[in-house]
Amino acid sequence: MLTLLSRGPAVRSQERKYRRVATASVFTRARVLDWAVMQTEPKPVAISRADPPKPFPARSPIDLPESRRYRLKSRLLGPPLPTDALEHERLGIPTALAVFSSDCISSSAYATEEILRVLFVAAGAAAFSLVVGVTIAMLVVLAFLILSYRETIREYPTAGGAYMVTRDNFGLLPAQVAGVSLLTDYVLTVAVSTAAGTAALVSAFPGLASYSVPITLGFIGVIVFMNLKGVRESGKAFAVPTYFFIAIMGLMLVMGLYKLAAGNLGVIPHADGMLKAKHQGRAIDGIFYGLGLGVMLHAFAVSGTAVTGVEAISNGVTAFRKPEWLNARKTLVIMGSVLATLFLGLSYMASHVHPVPYETGFPTVISQVGKQVFGTGGLGSVLFYALQAGTMLILVLAANTSFADFPRLASFHAGDNFMPKQLTKRGHRLVFSNGILFLAITAAVLVIATGAKIEVLISMYAIGVFASFTLSQSGMAKHHLRKKEPGWRKGIFINATGAVLSLVVLLIFIRFKFNQGAWVVILLVPIMVSVLVRLNKQYTAEAGQLEHEARAAATAPILPRHVVIVFIARLDQSAARAIQYARALMPDEMRAVHIAWDRSAAEQLAEEWRELGLSRVPLELVDCPDRRIARSALEVVAREVAGGKTEVSVLLPHRLYRRLWHRLLHDHTGDEIADAVSKLEHANVTMVPFQMGLLAATEAPPSA
Amino acid sequence: MLTLLSRGPAVRSQERKYRRVATASVFTRARVLDWAVMQTEPKPVAISRADPPKPFPARSPIDLPESRRYRLKSRLLGPPLPTDALEHERLGIPTALAVFSSDCISSSAYATEEILRVLFVAAGAAAFSLVVGVTIAMLVVLAFLILSYRETIREYPTAGGAYMVTRDNFGLLPAQVAGVSLLTDYVLTVAVSTAAGTAALVSAFPGLASYSVPITLGFIGVIVFMNLKGVRESGKAFAVPTYFFIAIMGLMLVMGLYKLAAGNLGVIPHADGMLKAKHQGRAIDGIFYGLGLGVMLHAFAVSGTAVTGVEAISNGVTAFRKPEWLNARKTLVIMGSVLATLFLGLSYMASHVHPVPYETGFPTVISQVGKQVFGTGGLGSVLFYALQAGTMLILVLAANTSFADFPRLASFHAGDNFMPKQLTKRGHRLVFSNGILFLAITAAVLVIATGAKIEVLISMYAIGVFASFTLSQSGMAKHHLRKKEPGWRKGIFINATGAVLSLVVLLIFIRFKFNQGAWVVILLVPIMVSVLVRLNKQYTAEAGQLEHEARAAATAPILPRHVVIVFIARLDQSAARAIQYARALMPDEMRAVHIAWDRSAAEQLAEEWRELGLSRVPLELVDCPDRRIARSALEVVAREVAGGKTEVSVLLPHRLYRRLWHRLLHDHTGDEIADAVSKLEHANVTMVPFQMGLLAATEAPPSA
């Protein structure tokens, strides 16, 4: 484990610590901590885990072999982490910026391209003179969102995600809408970001173009593996790609501006002269013969993809160094400024060098601008490849952020009984493994379905995030109205404006993207919310039923009669073992039952039984002409439990095979009986184990 | 059920009888037939099923709801048939011919075409002058096979299949080779016959050509359904297609001969003039410049597909009316004569009207001949469609024969412990359902893999059947040599010649078809035989282990101590129920164990326990920092059973949910504990059931 060079020293030392704890726990885990024998005077039950661990002798009875599954898991992911190891690193502003902003800042890598794509179709080359305007319009929205979230962070310094804010101000049901919206958005973030990362890679190496889908799935696979290993918010590791991307983008913009000022940054000479000519022609049409407001609004809505990820900091205020909320607000403003600079800068460059948004999705606009600015000389091409690498890395990191957020949000839903409880369960390495796997599979399906095309994915994107912005900012406005703390009027103005702007972007987006994929999300969110509500009803009903007089039931008197029934198919060692256990139970009455679907076999068994002279366990033969063994067994037991005065123990000889294929050689009549019988009240099915050995090669000749 | 018009009155009356028996059995099935309490003097155990059934009162305790699966099965397939209903119809010669000969006689529908295909490629139109010679050569082989099987039927009148004859004369291992060869052949019979049936349909309606694979799969589906319903050897239903085919083929041959004699049967004017010209040219090359012996041998081997199915009668001698073996021999000779007549007749016609074996597989040779003979006028086209329908029906019926033979042969293997025991199990309607499904799936895979092309399938066909002919006839030769009964010398001559001829056809077939698919079978047979031998070793070893002193074990003393451990996650009604059962067991010692993966929940549980003041059941908390609950439970139990002096009952509260999705909302920690713990000797896991109710709509508000 220590030889893995890709992890920083901090991670390694942490891991060493965990491993130490885990090793010690082998000895302490099953140690009996307290025996609270409550007879006349109840003794207190205490968990005395602070005791120093006492190692057991070497040949201790708990020296059991580990399961194959556990060994595989431990080899792949490392040793299990103890629950105590769950502690959050406290982040300073520079690290926090790296951790929380990758999703947000990485959007600048594709937002300009998507705006251009919309404008290009309608306006041709005139797109280049319109892109800056659209960008600035979205930056106004961004400014209000930043201001809005500054309010949220101050008011909800512990958990300020849309789910929590909506739940607090509007109740559980609207919170489900906000939550589901965000969850769909996280899935799309993974799909869009990894697809965009692949586009960055393909722009550098066009030969890889036909492998886009497998490469994208490979990115998802790597992120899943890292997340299951539990390498999550380990701050410094995140800093490298984020700052590297900011630096190389910054360099490109500065060089671009310098060359522009010096007058030696020309328009990209597109190989496809036809395309250029055609678009030039159409551009003239567009400008002179009236370019619709619709196109501008459409481009504006698409530019909304740039501001996804702004909410990330509000979810993680507790991870900041003290004073948490102040540091978080500062980081938020820095993040917004960086995004604004890069986004506007790239759009401005694009308006001068005229990169074409290709239908294939590559070379990307950012790569075309980069190539034009850096040139194709020795240093220039090094910088170009650095830009592509930086873009790819930050995009993959952005997808990784969803892998931290999605499982956490899903665990909130599950904690409120709106999603399956399994999502609250921390796995081998303390992460929400079920949530991680669910997110990965959903995103992978999307990638495969859309062929990893950003243009298609983007039509579904941003809806969820703007819906949650709207709900969370409205919630904040209501919060101000309710609390009326100092400065509440200003707060209401900011949050209400934020909510309205988010809603406007949302509506425009839906208007223009509905037919291209947005309908999927529009359809999915209400369906999912209704499913979640149904789940909640079920959980509540179950809890009610289970808690109903549980305490009274625990001390209820026992049934007056205990009968043991052993179902046996033939008289072999596994049956003998079951009979031995039946006798150990010392019930009021016991018998062996054979379901006689084959008359001659039944008669033979009866004969053996008679010869054996087995005392105390009589044999009953039950005729079964239709060969429905489980049904006959059910009827035998049902007769016994009828009346509700008898507790029946149903014993089934259970042979344990060492290998799966050995097990497959036998039918599962025992399991069928167990399934059928255990549906009866007071019918308690016991599998009496008998271990089958391994085959000795010399034991059995092939022919008799 | 009675409204199904497709079944004959005989079937319906039989079904009515079965249903009556099945209804009665609902009352008699679970009736306790005898209670053999064996204490000092063992009493005899008797099955007194002859008693008249006494119906239980209406609200009898066994009035349990049937499972959904059972209800579905009964609705689809009819009521379950009692084991007693297993009786064979005794068949007269006309019916027996219909039942057993469809596989054999239907081969005449494609054998001529496959001979022509081989000859055509090498010899062009000269093929038409060679086809009759090849046919006659194979008829010589057929004659010897018929004579050989006449011997077999006399010597093995109860079960004369290749498996039984080989087992009796050469032992179990060679019998596996014979059996596996036949099994592969049955699979191919299904694939070839249904594909040929589809070709007959497509020849009549060429528009269906692109649906060949689904149509073929549809045929298989219908046959499977009929067989699962148990409509098997219900004689008369089989007579219609078989005799219809014989009649229409006979009519065609007679009309053809008449027209030929009258001189008004011309060569088919092929639309594809190119093809004709080209083949004419090559034919001249072939004839004048030496046509290799190889091509003739190749065509001869392929013609062997015509005689597949000859063995069918020897498998079913017991189904004939008395004297069985004599009637069976007569039927065999009639079948051979009919096949010979139709096969030779079609080849002779083909040699005059020159049908082309198309690469697409349609229109078939038989349909081309039919069209030419019947003409295209009003009556002619009726007769043509009748021919196609007859061909299709007998081919589908031929596939159906495999569905009777394969499961029966597989059950022989399984009975000798060479195949999974599940294959000996008779299903809902007394048929070997597992064997039927296995055959159907394998054949369907073959059809899909080959695109339902007969040409490809035929390359794998006939190998298995000729291998089993060789083994079974050699076995018969050995039998004569051993017994030396009157006429043994003649018997040896016939059977040895039969064996040698079969072997020659087999070797030629392999030589010419190896690269085209035969290698699959050549590879598969030894692999399967070795798998079967491995299975046999495993079964023998298991039986040895299970029987080892089973009787002594059954009377062994019980362990001195009985401990009950109840694993509980929280204090609810399901846990309370488990505690109640624990107390009913009255063990030497009992306790509840909570695996504390969440400290605060554990402390809360301890608090509740204390408040409850639950007497006699102490609570133990076990620390579990790595959240491996099943592992911790395993260690707790392992400590208890260590030493081999304690019988431990491990109780797990088991909530039964009414619906699958309710169950999916909960994790399966209980099952995980059961799986882990039941691997320990003397650790007996009991699932204590608690029935969860249905959700009442008003019980749970969506938001709290």
Side-chain angles (χ1 to χ4, degrees):
Chain A
M1 210 60 59
L2 295 172
T3 56
L4 274 179
L5 291 169
S6 58
R7 290 197 241 145
V11 181
R12 284 209 301 274
S13 103
Q14 208 180 353
E15 186 146 73
R16 226 176 281 134
K17 195 182 81 196
Y18 290 164
R19 193 170 335 130
R20 210 166 52 237
V21 175
T23 315
S25 79
V26 170
F27 298 106
T28 57
R29 179 148 33 86
R31 199 156 38 86
V32 177
L33 295 168
D34 199 320
W35 258 62
V37 183
M38 295 167 205
Q39 280 169 328
T40 46
E41 243 187 49
K43 273 196 251 174
V45 184
I47 302 186
S48 56
R49 198 166 180 272
D51 294 353
K54 287 169 228 158
F56 284 92
R59 290 292 304 166
S60 153
I62 63 147
D63 188 15
L64 300 162
E66 291 289 354
S67 68
R68 197 172 300 181
R69 190 171 159 228
Y70 173 76
R71 278 181 284 142
L72 183 71
K73 222 191 231 178
S74 296
R75 181 165 300 180
L76 277 177
L77 305 176
L81 295 182
T83 313
D84 292 350
L86 196 68
E87 54 190 30
H88 287 282
E89 209 180 335
R90 288 292 179 138
L91 307 172
I93 293 181
T95 319
L97 186 65
V99 168
F100 290 110
S101 68
S102 61
D103 181 8
C104 184
I105 291 179
S106 69
S107 313
S108 64
Y110 49 79
T112 302
E113 174 154 357
E114 296 308 316
I115 299 172
L116 279 176
R117 195 183 302 283
V118 171
L119 296 174
F120 224 83
V121 170
F128 300 122
S129 54
L130 300 169
V131 64
V132 174
V134 172
T135 303
I136 289 170
M138 185 44 67
L139 291 185
V140 173
V141 176
L142 175 65
F144 269 97
L145 283 173
I146 299 284
L147 289 174
S148 283
Y149 270 107
R150 284 179 81 238
E151 295 291 316
T152 310
I153 287 168
R154 195 187 56 208
E155 298 298 319
Y156 290 90
T158 51
Y163 184 81
M164 292 301 186
V165 173
T166 311
R167 188 176 74 173
D168 193 47
N169 291 292
F170 295 121
L172 267 173
L173 200 56
Q176 303 313 312
V177 180
V180 166
S181 303
L182 265 184
L183 288 177
T184 58
D185 211 68
Y186 288 144
V187 173
L188 281 156
T189 299
V190 172
V192 169
S193 299
T194 51
T198 304
L201 183 67
V202 171
S203 300
F205 306 101
L208 298 173
S210 51
Y211 306 105
S212 287
V213 172
I215 290 172
T216 310
L217 295 177
F219 281 143
I220 295 177
V222 169
I223 301 169
V224 167
F225 179 69
M226 298 290 279
N227 276 278
L228 287 179
K229 253 181 121 72
V231 185
R232 284 183 312 140
E233 294 161 9
S234 50
K236 271 147 200 155
F238 281 56
V240 178
T242 309
Y243 284 110
F244 181 69
F245 175 73
I246 294 173
I248 191 84
M249 274 283 276
L251 181 66
M252 183 184 81
L253 297 179
V254 170
M255 272 182 71
L257 287 175
Y258 175 80
K259 282 194 174 178
L260 209 59
N264 49 17
L265 188 67
V267 168
I268 300 169
H270 291 289
D272 197 349
M274 271 293 289
L275 176 97
K276 201 175 152 193
K278 179 185 149 213
H279 278 123
Q280 219 86 38
R282 291 186 58 187
I284 292 162
D285 294 352
I287 288 182
F288 288 93
Y289 302 104
L291 179 63
L293 177 70
V295 175
M296 295 299 285
L297 287 177
H298 187 176
F300 170 69
V302 165
S303 73
T305 57
V307 305
T308 56
V310 164
E311 79 288 358
I313 289 176
S314 70
N315 286 324
V317 181
T318 48
F320 283 82
R321 291 222 183 99
K322 289 182 184 179
E324 291 92 346
W325 69 277
L326 265 180
N327 282 325
R329 285 174 72 154
K330 281 181 196 160
T331 311
L332 179 66
V333 173
I334 298 173
M335 179 177 84
S337 313
V338 171
L339 172 63
T341 310
L342 298 185
F343 183 23
L344 184 60
L346 185 62
S347 292
Y348 183 70
M349 282 294 142
S351 71
H352 282 93
V353 304
H354 296 197
V356 173
Y358 284 98
E359 227 181 287
T360 49
F362 77 97
T364 57
V365 160
I366 188 172
S367 76
Q368 293 174 57
V369 173
K371 197 164 233 164
Q372 189 70 359
V373 169
F374 291 137
T376 46
L379 182 66
S381 87
V382 169
L383 288 173
F384 168 74
Y385 284 113
L387 176 69
Q388 292 314 108
T391 313
M392 184 187 85
L393 284 175
I394 199 174
L395 282 163
V396 172
L397 199 62
N400 185 68
T401 314
S402 284
F403 275 89
D405 290 341
F406 181 100
R408 185 167 47 200
L409 179 52
S411 82
F412 289 160
H413 281 275
D416 286 343
N417 291 331
F418 279 92
M419 278 196 179
K421 284 284 170 195
Q422 287 93 321
L423 292 168
T424 61
K425 212 173 158 184
R426 290 186 183 271
H428 192 76
R429 301 281 289 180
L430 275 175
V431 293
F432 296 113
S433 327
N434 292 325
I436 290 174
L437 292 175
F438 183 84
L439 172 61
I441 291 167
T442 327
V445 167
L446 260 182
V447 165
I448 293 168
T450 60
K453 282 198 90 177
I454 304 164
E455 190 190 346
V456 182
L457 287 166
I458 229 100
S459 306
M460 292 182 261
Y461 200 32
I463 299 177
V465 83
F466 277 96
S468 77
F469 283 164
T470 309
L471 275 165
S472 119
Q473 299 316 319
S474 321
M476 279 306 298
K478 190 176 168 196
H479 176 87
H480 285 302
L481 202 62
R482 225 176 40 191
K483 296 275 169 114
K484 299 203 171 141
E485 286 166 346
W488 65 276
R489 283 170 210 279
K490 190 184 138 215
I492 285 192
F493 169 72
I494 290 173
N495 287 128
T497 313
V500 169
L501 284 177
S502 302
L503 185 64
V504 167
V505 176
L506 178 65
L507 294 176
I508 297 175
F509 196 98
I510 292 172
R511 161 71 184 79
F512 287 102
K513 289 292 186 189
F514 190 85
N515 290 329
Q516 285 145 60
W519 64 270
V520 176
V521 180
I522 305 289
L523 199 71
L524 211 66
V525 170
I527 290 175
M528 274 185 63
V529 169
S530 73
V531 168
L532 264 49
V533 169
R534 187 86 187 73
L535 286 196
N536 180 258
K537 274 191 181 164
Q538 177 60 24
Y539 273 123
T540 317
E542 278 178 14
Q545 198 195 346
L546 281 168
E547 269 157 35
H548 177 70
E549 291 179 28
R551 282 145 185 260
T555 50
I558 61 174
L559 301 192
R561 190 155 164 270
H562 178 213
V563 171
V564 170
I565 295 175
V566 190
F567 283 104
I568 59 169
R570 62 197 73 77
L571 186 56
D572 58 22
Q573 277 209 308
S574 68
R577 168 77 196 97
I579 292 164
Q580 186 197 24
Y581 176 64
R583 287 158 55 221
L585 289 177
M586 290 187 281
D588 299 307
E589 190 187 308
M590 68 179 118
R591 65 183 192 275
V593 172
H594 174 71
I595 308 292
W597 61 275
D598 175 342
R599 285 297 183 80
S600 63
E603 274 157 27
Q604 196 191 328
L605 176 68
E607 184 62 35
E608 286 179 55
W609 209 267
R610 202 179 295 126
E611 279 173 27
L612 195 62
L614 186 63
S615 62
R616 265 169 314 193
V617 187
L619 173 67
E620 175 185 332
L621 301 180
V622 174
D623 200 16
C624 180
D626 57 5
R627 303 169 310 289
R628 295 179 62 205
I629 298 175
R631 175 78 190 174
S632 291
L634 173 65
E635 290 178 5
V636 167
V637 179
R639 244 168 251 278
E640 209 64 58
V641 296
K645 298 239 179 282
T646 308
E647 196 81 62
V648 177
S649 298
V650 176
L651 310 192
L652 297 168
H654 183 51
R655 303 185 213 163
L656 299 167
Y657 298 95
R658 296 254 174 119
R659 301 213 177 130
L660 182 65
W661 75 267
H662 293 179
R663 184 140 50 85
L664 291 180
L665 293 181
H666 301 271
D667 58 16
H668 300 90
T669 313
D671 295 336
E672 281 166 33
I673 293 177
D675 278 354
V677 168
S678 65
K679 292 199 175 73
L680 296 169
E681 226 178 336
H682 296 289
N684 308 282
V685 176
T686 306
M687 293 292 192
V688 184
F690 181 78
Q691 188 71 55
M692 299 296 291
L694 283 172
L695 173 74
T698 53
E699 261 180 275
S703 61
Chain B
M1 207 61 59
L2 293 173
T3 56
L4 275 179
L5 290 170
S6 58
R7 289 199 240 144
V11 180
R12 284 210 301 273
S13 104
Q14 206 179 356
E15 187 147 73
R16 226 176 282 135
K17 194 183 82 196
Y18 289 166
R19 195 170 334 131
R20 207 167 53 236
V21 175
T23 316
S25 80
V26 170
F27 298 105
T28 57
R29 180 149 32 86
R31 201 158 36 88
V32 175
L33 294 168
D34 200 323
W35 258 62
V37 182
M38 298 172 202
Q39 281 169 325
T40 45
E41 242 186 53
K43 276 197 249 172
V45 183
I47 304 184
S48 56
R49 200 169 177 271
D51 292 355
K54 287 168 228 160
F56 285 91
R59 289 293 305 164
S60 153
I62 63 147
D63 188 14
L64 299 162
E66 291 289 354
S67 68
R68 194 171 302 179
R69 190 171 158 229
Y70 173 76
R71 277 181 285 142
L72 184 71
K73 221 191 234 178
S74 295
R75 180 165 301 179
L76 276 177
L77 305 177
L81 294 183
T83 313
D84 292 350
L86 194 68
E87 54 190 31
H88 287 281
E89 211 180 333
R90 288 294 179 135
L91 308 172
I93 292 180
T95 319
L97 185 66
V99 168
F100 290 109
S101 68
S102 61
D103 180 8
C104 185
I105 291 178
S106 70
S107 311
S108 63
Y110 49 78
T112 301
E113 173 155 359
E114 296 308 317
I115 299 172
L116 279 176
R117 196 184 301 283
V118 170
L119 294 175
F120 223 83
V121 170
F128 300 121
S129 55
L130 300 169
V131 64
V132 174
V134 172
T135 303
I136 289 171
M138 185 45 67
L139 291 185
V140 174
V141 176
L142 175 66
F144 269 97
L145 284 173
I146 299 284
L147 289 174
S148 284
Y149 270 105
R150 285 179 80 240
E151 296 291 314
T152 309
I153 287 168
R154 194 186 55 205
E155 297 299 318
Y156 290 91
T158 52
Y163 184 80
M164 291 302 186
V165 173
T166 311
R167 189 176 74 173
D168 192 47
N169 291 293
F170 295 121
L172 268 173
L173 199 55
Q176 303 312 311
V177 180
V180 165
S181 303
L182 265 184
L183 289 176
T184 59
D185 211 68
Y186 288 144
V187 173
L188 280 156
T189 298
V190 172
V192 169
S193 299
T194 51
T198 304
L201 183 66
V202 170
S203 299
F205 305 101
L208 298 172
S210 50
Y211 306 106
S212 286
V213 173
I215 290 172
T216 310
L217 295 178
F219 281 143
I220 296 177
V222 170
I223 300 169
V224 167
F225 179 70
M226 298 289 279
N227 276 278
L228 288 179
K229 255 182 120 73
V231 186
R232 283 184 312 141
E233 293 163 8
S234 49
K236 272 148 201 153
F238 282 55
V240 179
T242 308
Y243 285 108
F244 182 69
F245 175 73
I246 294 173
I248 191 85
M249 273 284 276
L251 180 66
M252 183 183 83
L253 295 180
V254 170
M255 272 182 71
L257 285 175
Y258 175 81
K259 283 195 174 179
L260 209 59
N264 49 15
L265 187 69
V267 168
I268 300 168
H270 290 289
D272 197 347
M274 270 294 287
L275 177 96
K276 198 176 154 196
K278 179 183 148 215
H279 277 123
Q280 218 84 40
R282 289 187 59 188
I284 291 162
D285 293 353
I287 290 184
F288 287 95
Y289 302 105
L291 178 65
L293 176 70
V295 175
M296 295 300 286
L297 287 177
H298 187 174
F300 170 69
V302 165
S303 73
T305 57
V307 304
T308 56
V310 164
E311 79 287 359
I313 289 175
S314 69
N315 286 322
V317 181
T318 48
F320 282 83
R321 291 222 183 100
K322 290 181 185 182
E324 291 93 347
W325 69 277
L326 264 181
N327 282 326
R329 283 174 75 154
K330 281 182 196 159
T331 312
L332 180 67
V333 172
I334 298 171
M335 177 176 86
S337 313
V338 171
L339 172 64
T341 310
L342 299 185
F343 182 24
L344 184 60
L346 185 62
S347 292
Y348 182 71
M349 281 295 142
S351 71
H352 282 90
V353 303
H354 294 197
V356 173
Y358 284 98
E359 226 179 288
T360 49
F362 78 98
T364 58
V365 160
I366 188 172
S367 76
Q368 294 175 56
V369 173
K371 197 165 236 166
Q372 190 68 1
V373 169
F374 292 136
T376 46
L379 180 68
S381 88
V382 168
L383 287 173
F384 169 75
Y385 284 114
L387 176 69
Q388 293 313 108
T391 312
M392 184 185 84
L393 285 175
I394 199 174
L395 283 163
V396 172
L397 199 62
N400 184 68
T401 313
S402 284
F403 275 88
D405 291 341
F406 181 101
R408 184 168 46 198
L409 178 53
S411 81
F412 290 161
H413 281 276
D416 287 343
N417 291 331
F418 279 91
M419 279 198 179
K421 284 283 172 198
Q422 288 94 321
L423 292 168
T424 61
K425 214 171 156 183
R426 289 186 184 270
H428 192 77
R429 300 280 289 181
L430 275 175
V431 293
F432 296 113
S433 326
N434 292 324
I436 290 174
L437 293 174
F438 183 84
L439 171 60
I441 292 167
T442 325
V445 167
L446 260 182
V447 165
I448 293 168
T450 60
K453 283 198 88 172
I454 304 162
E455 190 191 345
V456 182
L457 287 166
I458 230 106
S459 306
M460 293 182 262
Y461 199 33
I463 298 177
V465 84
F466 276 97
S468 78
F469 283 164
T470 308
L471 275 165
S472 119
Q473 298 318 319
S474 320
M476 279 308 297
K478 192 175 166 194
H479 177 85
H480 286 302
L481 202 62
R482 225 176 42 194
K483 296 274 168 115
K484 298 199 171 144
E485 287 165 345
W488 64 276
R489 282 171 211 278
K490 188 183 141 216
I492 285 192
F493 169 72
I494 290 172
N495 288 126
T497 312
V500 168
L501 284 178
S502 301
L503 185 65
V504 167
V505 176
L506 178 65
L507 293 177
I508 298 175
F509 198 97
I510 293 171
R511 160 70 185 81
F512 287 101
K513 288 293 186 190
F514 190 84
N515 290 328
Q516 284 145 61
W519 64 270
V520 176
V521 179
I522 305 289
L523 201 68
L524 211 66
V525 170
I527 290 175
M528 274 184 64
V529 169
S530 73
V531 167
L532 263 50
V533 169
R534 187 87 186 74
L535 286 196
N536 179 257
K537 274 189 181 167
Q538 177 60 25
Y539 274 122
T540 315
E542 278 179 14
Q545 199 195 346
L546 281 168
E547 270 159 33
H548 177 71
E549 291 179 27
R551 282 143 184 262
T555 49
I558 62 173
L559 301 194
R561 193 156 161 269
H562 178 213
V563 172
V564 170
I565 296 175
V566 190
F567 283 104
I568 59 170
R570 63 197 71 77
L571 187 56
D572 58 22
Q573 276 208 307
S574 67
R577 168 76 196 99
I579 292 164
Q580 186 197 24
Y581 176 63
R583 286 158 56 220
L585 289 178
M586 291 188 281
D588 300 305
E589 192 186 306
M590 70 178 113
R591 64 184 193 274
V593 172
H594 174 72
I595 308 291
W597 62 274
D598 176 343
R599 284 297 182 81
S600 62
E603 274 157 27
Q604 197 192 325
L605 175 68
E607 184 63 34
E608 286 180 55
W609 208 266
R610 202 180 295 125
E611 279 173 28
L612 194 63
L614 186 63
S615 61
R616 266 169 313 196
V617 187
L619 174 68
E620 176 184 334
L621 301 179
V622 174
D623 200 16
C624 181
D626 57 6
R627 304 170 308 289
R628 295 180 62 206
I629 297 175
R631 176 78 191 173
S632 291
L634 174 65
E635 289 177 5
V636 167
V637 179
R639 244 170 252 280
E640 210 64 60
V641 295
K645 298 239 178 283
T646 309
E647 196 82 59
V648 178
S649 297
V650 176
L651 310 192
L652 297 168
H654 183 51
R655 303 186 213 161
L656 299 167
Y657 298 95
R658 295 257 177 117
R659 302 214 177 130
L660 182 65
W661 75 268
H662 293 177
R663 183 140 50 86
L664 292 179
L665 293 180
H666 300 272
D667 58 15
H668 301 92
T669 313
D671 294 336
E672 281 166 31
I673 293 177
D675 278 353
V677 169
S678 64
K679 291 200 174 74
L680 296 169
E681 224 178 338
H682 295 290
N684 308 283
V685 177
T686 305
M687 294 292 192
V688 184
F690 181 78
Q691 188 71 53
M692 300 295 293
L694 283 173
L695 174 74
T698 52
E699 261 181 275
S703 59

